Amino acid sequence: MKEKIESYKKELSDLKADTLDALETFRIKFLGSKGIVKELYADLKSVANEEKREFGQLINEFRNLAEEKYNEVKEALSSTDSGSESGEDLTRPGTPFELGARHPISLVRKEIIEIFSRIGFTVSEGPEVEDDWHNFSALNFPPEHPARDMQDTFFVEKGENEMALRTHTSSVQVRVMENSKPPIRTISPGRVFRNEAISARAHCIFHQVEGLYIDENVSFADLKQTLLYFAKEMFGDQTEIRLRPSYFPFTEPSAEVDVSCNICAGKGCNVCKYTGFLEILGCGMVDPNVLEAAGIDSKKYSGFAFGMGIERIAMLKYQVKDLRLFFENDARFLKQFKSAY
Ligand code: DAH
């Protein structure tokens, strides 16, 4: 047994482990659960009683030696620079670098812009803090008109220079009409603000996209075809639209537009409340009063406008049931939109 230990000792001192793999092989061979040290302790059972002490000590010594050797080599390997020479495993996968994801509202906003860009719409923007003229008066909301109550306004400054957070992006269409000449074809994405209780379906801050098209002879049929094109591009070619008469101070006639439910394909389900349709936007022919207020000749020009909520489109597109998820910035939610772009 002495010789056996001696030869193992020699093997130990000759050993060169220059990679982590080789070191591991060494550990298993000498110190593993079926390794040499274990085997020697097992052999101890067959040694005569009076020799047990001596051999026990020899094995203990050998074990310490093997452990020292192991630690020594391990330290040497981990302190050397990485690279193949030092034994670093170059095939080991790198530390994962997690890519961020675009926010679903940004994705849908981007997609809406792309869809309308393809048919010649430009993008325009306006201020979030807006005066009464652009948010209300120029859009044919007379003072004290009850329609102003449709949108609960956050006022920033009261009195003569009354300013408010815009309640809709329709304010931007006024600015565009004031600052450019027809033909006008533009969409205006942006944040809007309303004093509303936060729930699964409403928030005090949300996003809209306004659309405006002004030229000679623009008709309601143009509006309908434009919106049908949009709905098919956004929700798929099988999508149908339905227009229902409605009222907005700035359009006449006005309509609300529904798309066929993309969940049940129009057959009826609990999302569309068994109607087969989902409301996505408001629209209409720009009221001549609105054209005139912005300095556009309503005898020569006509136009259509529409406005949609980005959150609403995103909820339908991605089947998100609670609008608040868009504002909570929970990474577990946001991560799911990674592959979309
Ligand atoms: N501004 C409306 C809203 O916030 C949406 C809207 C409806 C915009 C009809 C329009 C339109 O341009 O023609 O609810």
Side-chain angles (χ1 to χ4, degrees), residues 262-313:
N262 60 334
I263 291 160
C264 63
K267 288 188 192 72
C269 66
N270 61 352
V271 174
C272 62
K273 303 207 179 72
Y274 300 95
T275 63
F277 282 92
L278 297 155
E279 186 192 325
I280 58 158
L281 56 83
C283 67
M285 301 306 291
V286 181
D287 193 294
N289 289 343
V290 173
L291 294 174
E292 295 292 341
I296 289 175
D297 183 354
S298 65
K299 301 252 160 17
K300 188 167 179 206
Y301 294 106
S302 58
F304 64 69
F306 56 86
M308 64 183 99
I310 302 185
E311 282 78 3
R312 174 134 191 97
I313 306 275

Side-chain angles (χ1 to χ4, degrees), residues 151 167-170 173 194 208 210-211 248 250-251 255 281-284 305-308:
Q151 303 168 350
T167 58
H168 52 183
T169 44
S170 301
Q173 57 160 285
R194 289 186 198 176
Q208 286 189 331
E210 189 76 11
F248 299 100
F250 33 91
T251 43
L281 56 83
C283 67
F306 56 86
M308 64 183 99

Side-chain angles (χ1 to χ4, degrees), residues 90-104:
L90 294 179
T91 61
R92 193 166 57 89
T95 316
F97 178 74
E98 276 216 59
L99 278 184
R102 278 182 196 271
H103 194 283

Side-chain angles (χ1 to χ4, degrees), residues 129 154-158 162-165:
V129 178
F154 283 120
F155 290 98
V156 177
E157 244 180 88
K158 273 275 186 196
E162 194 166 276
M163 296 294 274
L165 298 181

